[in-house]
Amino acid sequence: MTMKCILVEGPRRMRIEARAIPVPGAGEVRVRVRFAGICGSDLHIYHGDHPYVRFPRVIGHEFAGVIDATGPGIAESRIGERVAVSPVISCGDCASCRAGRPNVCLNLKVVGVHVEGGFAEYCCVRADLAHPVPDGVDDRAAATVEPFSIAANMLSRTGVLAQDAALVYGAGPIGMTVVQAFKGVHRVAPLVVADRLEERLARARESGADLTVNVAQEALPEVLAREGIAPSLIIDAACHPAILKEALEIAAPAGRIGLMGFNAAPSAVSQQVMNRKELTLCASRLNNRKFPEVIGWMADGRIDPARFISHTFPFTQVQDAFDLLESAPVSCSKILLDFTAA
Ligand code: NAI
Ligand code: MN
């Protein structure tokens, strides 16, 4: 029996490959994938500028489906369970894991980066990574648990206080998951969103942003001063190295700043401003066991995955989907690949 999967063989070389359907090993389940999301990092892999990937690789780390087989040691009663898969593979044994921080495991592997991923009709994963999804959360929504888990992790790192005035830099897909979590889960007000693209700011307003600032047209510090807003919680989901300096300047005393960028370029900042206001900087990577929490948000209707999904392509048209994301990113939020066709 064979299946189809999406293989990136090298930079800008992607194709559909037929492979034997994988057999779940000890402690694993096999997921019949239904939907998978395309992430900015998948585009980086495709472009050949992802630091950790080795080619050839079946990519895909945002996916959901149904368990159709179990390996030795895993109860067959899990067959038929609808699941969302967390891509974070930790060893459970290193200092980070023992400190309760498995997402920065010393032996960390990421599904779809270090091991074969979910852009495939079938994918075998460690059973504990496959999180059950209740009936009220549909298959498309389930495929977006991973990007929302990025927001959940970031906000658990900074904490959210009832009196916070929040600012999000960047209204791309990741910024929008943060906006939904801020509004739907934490009911933060005011919530300011800054971007340089009007179309994306409009989407941020639709998702509840109280004020949006087009930083290509207006200086953010001036707008905040005019509106009398001193942000106490700032999330940088734009991740340009220059942003941190401004964030430190506009943050309220005792403010927290959440950072998610991977850029290797340094940010030139002064310790004085951090010290004077006793600011807290928090980095966030992937997610630390946030899937149950995010699935709960979806089940309770506190976030709206449908609003986050902009396109769905049959997986056989993955090249068209990547071309769209590359050529017209502004028109895209989350693009899903549909693996449900026979
Ligand atoms: P994206 O590129 O679609 O969105 C970034 C947005 O920031 C764009 O809309 C852009 O116009 C805006 N922007 C650029 N410069 C700006 C500025 N100076 N001020 C305000 N807005 C500005 O990217 P996406 O997919 O939303 O991801 C955002 C970042 O999050 C990426 O850098 C990505 O690497 C990072 N990321 C981090 C993760 C983590 O676990 N820490 C996980 C996933 C993504
Ligand atoms: Mn992702």
Side-chain angles (χ1 to χ4, degrees):
M1 286 282 280
T2 63
M3 65 159 188
K4 288 183 179 133
C5 59
I6 295 165
L7 189 70
V8 181
E9 295 175 299
R12 293 194 178 275
R13 287 193 296 129
M14 179 167 61
R15 65 180 175 81
I16 309 270
E17 181 175 78
R19 278 194 181 176
I21 294 178
V23 176
E28 289 186 336
V29 295
R30 183 171 67 200
V31 178
R32 172 67 180 92
V33 176
R34 288 184 172 167
F35 291 92
I38 302 176
C39 178
S41 62
D42 295 317
L43 211 53
H44 285 303
I45 293 174
Y46 173 64
H47 289 162
D49 55 20
H50 191 290
Y52 310 126
V53 84
R54 292 249 182 91
F55 298 118
R57 177 62 68 227
V58 176
I59 62 173
H61 61 271
E62 304 178 1
F63 61 104
V66 58
I67 293 175
D68 86 323
T70 56
I74 302 302
E76 282 180 21
S77 59
R78 290 205 66 181
I79 292 172
E81 202 175 280
R82 294 171 58 246
V83 292
V85 177
S86 173
V88 181
I89 307 173
S90 54
C91 73
D93 204 37
C94 71
S96 306
C97 287
R98 278 186 268 118
R101 304 287 285 274
N103 53 321
V104 286
C105 170
L106 296 176
N107 305 302
L108 181 72
K109 287 185 179 144
V110 179
V111 176
V113 178
H114 303 92
V115 303
E116 302 298 57
F119 285 4
E121 290 178 295
Y122 295 86
C123 181
C124 292
V125 296
R126 223 170 58 190
D128 62 300
L129 301 181
H131 294 268
V133 172
D135 290 345
V137 176
D138 68 31
D139 292 331
R140 286 165 202 259
T144 70
V145 173
E146 198 279 338
F148 280 104
S149 78
I150 302 299
N153 203 71
M154 181 75 262
L155 297 186
S156 79
R157 295 278 297 138
T158 60
V160 184
L161 306 174
Q163 69 273 22
D164 271 325
L167 165 66
V168 177
Y169 281 97
I174 292 297
M176 292 306 293
T177 63
V178 175
V179 167
Q180 284 212 25
F182 263 144
K183 276 301 178 185
V185 180
H186 299 286
R187 313 262 172 222
V188 155
L191 171 62
V192 183
V193 179
D195 200 296
R196 43 179 72 254
L197 303 169
E198 204 44 58
E199 218 171 320
R200 287 195 156 173
L201 291 171
R203 271 199 225 118
R205 287 191 294 274
E206 285 163 23
S207 291
D210 301 297
L211 175 68
T212 59
V213 182
N214 188 330
V215 295
Q217 289 165 8
E218 283 188 289
L220 180 60
E222 283 168 29
V223 177
L224 293 174
R226 189 176 73 218
E227 299 287 332
I229 297 172
S232 55
L233 177 50
I234 301 177
I235 305 299
D236 179 8
C239 305
H240 187 282
I243 289 173
L244 180 57
K245 181 170 187 290
E246 182 182 85
L248 294 170
E249 282 158 12
I250 61 184
R256 291 98 68 217
I257 299 175
L259 303 171
M260 322 212 237
F262 291 104
N263 203 316
S267 301
V269 297
S270 130
Q271 292 186 37
Q272 188 181 63
V273 64
M274 288 188 239
N275 190 286
R276 178 168 53 82
K277 295 193 274 189
E278 203 176 58
L279 302 175
T280 302
L281 302 193
C282 304
S284 179
R285 183 172 188 196
L286 300 167
N287 85 92
N288 181 352
R289 298 166 291 178
K290 294 296 176 199
F291 268 51
E293 182 180 339
V294 171
I295 292 166
W297 293 352
M298 291 182 179
D300 296 344
R302 297 209 269 179
I303 56 172
D304 183 0
R307 187 187 286 287
F308 178 57
I309 299 163
S310 59
H311 302 79
T312 304
F313 285 76
F315 79 92
T316 48
Q317 291 172 29
V318 62
Q319 188 67 55
D320 295 339
F322 272 60
D323 290 349
L324 176 69
L325 190 57
E326 203 168 32
S327 63
V330 180
S331 70
C332 303
S333 189
K334 183 54 65 183
I335 302 180
L336 296 184
L337 298 173
D338 182 348
F339 288 85
T340 60

